[in-house]
Amino acid sequence: MRYRRRHRTALATAAALCVLPLGQGRPAGAAEAGGSSAYRPAASAKEVSGSASAAQGPLLRPGTYTDTIGPGGKKFYAVDLDARSDAYVSVVGAPAPGAAVGPEDGIRVALRREDGQECGFGEAKFRDADSGRPLADYAVRRARPDPGGCGHAGRYHVVVERTGQAGDTYPTEIKYMTEPGLKEGTLAVTSGTGKWNPAPSPAPSQGPPSAWSQDPSSASSPVTGRSPGRVTGGTGFNDAPAVGNGVWKDDLLPGQTRFYRIPVSWGQRLSVVADVPKAFAPPGFHAPGGVRVGLNNPARGYVGESVEDYRGMPKSVSLSTAPVAYENRLRGRSDPANAMRVAGWYYLQVGLHPKVGEVVSHPVPVVLRVTVDGTPRAAPAYDGDAVAAGFGVTADPEAVAGDSGAGRDALRVIGYAGVSTGSALLCWLGGWWVAARQPVRRSPARYRVRTGSLMPRR
């Protein structure tokens, strides 16, 4: 009996060491404005100043640009488009990490003909009880089929707007990309196939559902539990490290959003689960939108997001996508599969609300379970180098592609590492001490990816 009491005491001690400590006073772990977690623009980005009128908008060429925009602001730029390529112009709005924002604040980008007709637009807004983090979406001009007379060659206007009327001026990053058209004689896709909706989360004893798929055999497979690979997420699209199939661990500050890039080829789809541990939280603690997982495509277009409240208990947030297919671009804009139109690097974001800092006093260990599933398929018959244009998976899955396909120093995925903090070490020692006194069991743990509903556009 005394042994059992000591055994239970040891288990309780080990478990207590594994729980996040209670914060004291001001959230010690909160990301501060202007700190190291502020959005980092592309090293090759050029400064540009948008005009107050369409006639005076500076001309953009494929590449990345930086500007700023204030509350209620509206800026104009110009691009010259051909009649063969699909054009993507994205904008990132980057308020200070964790800054107070309103639910109507956000950014909008549109491509217009010279006569003012809108050819495509994208919009990203903050949600209720949200906090400052990078927002991104794109406007697309499809050359073929030509919707509404927007497929002709000529000058088009890019319009970037700040939807909110309050708050501080913040930086923007604009990226202009062109996707080559298909070769002459290539069978054109004329319609999408239904509307894709993520399936609900399966029961723990079930495998992940197949959801919508061109190939039912491409259903996501479970990720086997193993020691997490250590990775440090980036501040945005430009410094996001590469991750692939497996289990990854990062440490996030409350109020911080980290970015990661994942290679997804034609015919493949992506599933992600983010696990946040328990914290010593007082009764009634509630952080609305405490944990967020979001995804953008290689042209920085919005794919979807999943947001969950945090009450101090362990929380898993998941999302999944449709397989990448060229014909997805013909689906409705509100269909999450629409953005799964190109192969390449997909950008995962994981963020914690600043309010989480009220119950933790150090970086929060977050575990990411990533599954890229499905057999890669051949790319469409492009009339040009789509990979060099940024639409495709490079040979080195850990390389970071630069603007217009120019190589930059590769960011390497950090190898599997040991525990790095004193509290984690104590947790490990406590668990080891308990495990050493229990019979060895030969049933390895396994984790299954769970899919979750992607939130619709606002």
Side-chain angles (χ1 to χ4, degrees):
M1 291 296 293
R2 278 183 292 179
Y3 172 78
R4 290 181 180 177
R5 283 196 295 270
R6 288 198 302 270
H7 185 69
R8 286 195 293 267
T9 302
L11 281 171
T13 302
L17 289 171
C18 295
V19 177
L20 302 179
L22 180 67
Q24 307 255 337
R26 185 185 69 81
E32 300 195 10
S36 60
S37 60
Y39 185 89
R40 186 174 302 159
S44 60
K46 301 175 182 178
E47 291 186 9
V48 67
S49 182
S51 172
S53 68
Q56 302 298 320
L59 181 64
L60 306 180
R61 302 190 184 281
T64 308
Y65 301 82
T66 59
D67 201 350
T68 61
I69 194 165
K74 187 174 185 178
K75 293 192 173 185
F76 293 85
Y77 312 84
V79 291
D80 288 335
L81 305 183
D82 61 28
R84 291 284 301 158
S85 305
D86 285 357
Y88 300 82
V89 180
S90 65
V91 61
V92 180
V101 294
E104 294 305 316
D105 196 6
I107 49 95
R108 187 182 192 275
V109 57
L111 272 168
R112 296 178 182 173
R113 299 191 321 193
E114 286 196 293
D115 63 3
Q117 178 177 326
E118 196 167 89
C119 299
F121 77 95
E123 186 174 45
K125 285 186 177 181
F126 292 106
R127 299 183 180 275
D128 293 338
D130 212 337
S131 63
R133 56 179 173 81
L135 291 173
D137 205 357
Y138 61 14
V140 183
R141 192 291 309 255
R142 279 209 337 261
R144 296 182 181 182
D146 180 3
C150 290
H152 67 275
R155 179 149 296 187
Y156 290 73
H157 300 295
V158 178
V159 187
V160 176
E161 298 178 74
R162 173 93 172 264
T163 58
Q165 302 297 320
D168 298 327
T169 295
Y170 53 65
T172 58
E173 184 174 66
I174 301 165
K175 187 164 188 176
Y176 169 29
M177 304 173 70
T178 59
E179 179 188 15
L182 300 181
K183 292 180 179 178
E184 292 290 347
T186 300
L187 181 63
V189 178
T190 58
S191 64
T193 308
K195 180 173 181 178
W196 180 79
N197 284 300
S201 299
S205 60
Q206 298 174 341
S210 61
W212 177 89
S213 173
Q214 294 175 320
D215 178 4
S217 66
S218 66
S220 297
S221 57
V223 175
T224 303
R226 67 180 184 187
S227 299
R230 171 67 67 173
V231 65
T232 300
T235 64
F237 295 95
N238 305 297
D239 58 356
V243 298
N245 270 323
V247 184
W248 305 88
K249 181 179 178 182
D250 198 358
D251 295 324
L252 271 68
L253 295 169
Q256 188 174 52
T257 295
R258 287 275 178 88
F259 282 66
Y260 315 85
R261 60 194 307 158
I262 304 170
V264 187
S265 191
W266 298 103
Q268 294 185 316
R269 65 180 184 179
L270 173 65
S271 296
V272 178
V273 179
D275 296 327
V276 178
K278 181 179 179 180
F280 279 126
F285 172 75
H286 181 209
V291 186
R292 174 186 173 272
V293 175
L295 189 69
N296 288 73
N297 69 14
R300 302 184 176 182
Y302 174 91
V303 177
E305 63 180 356
S306 183
V307 182
E308 297 283 350
D309 295 350
Y310 186 69
R311 300 177 183 272
M313 298 302 294
K315 177 65 65 175
S316 293
V317 183
S318 60
L319 63 77
S320 66
T321 75
V324 176
Y326 189 87
E327 57 267 30
N328 284 341
R329 67 195 61 209
L330 299 178
R331 296 175 180 276
R333 183 177 173 275
S334 63
D335 190 330
N338 177 280
M340 302 299 294
R341 58 173 63 199
V342 291
W345 293 99
Y346 279 75
Y347 297 91
L348 173 70
Q349 308 120 48
V350 180
L352 298 178
H353 195 280
K355 190 174 177 64
V356 176
E358 295 180 7
V359 294
V360 297
S361 58
H362 67 348
V364 178
V366 177
V367 174
L368 304 176
R369 310 186 192 282
V370 178
T371 297
V372 179
D373 199 69
T375 302
R377 300 179 181 178
Y382 280 116
D383 188 15
D385 193 341
V387 175
F391 302 99
V393 177
T394 56
D396 180 0
E398 298 177 1
V400 176
D403 295 339
S404 302
R408 286 185 4 204
D409 292 340
L411 295 180
R412 299 292 176 178
V413 176
I414 300 175
Y416 297 120
V419 186
S420 61
T421 64
S423 60
L425 179 59
L426 288 174
C427 174
W428 180 83
L429 288 172
W432 175 86
W433 188 91
V434 172
R437 286 157 175 75
Q438 297 185 82
V440 177
R441 297 180 180 179
R442 300 290 183 181
S443 55
R446 294 182 66 83
Y447 303 90
R448 293 189 181 273
V449 170
R450 294 173 290 172
T451 57
S453 297
L454 299 182
M455 292 190 172
R457 291 176 178 271
R458 293 193 55 182

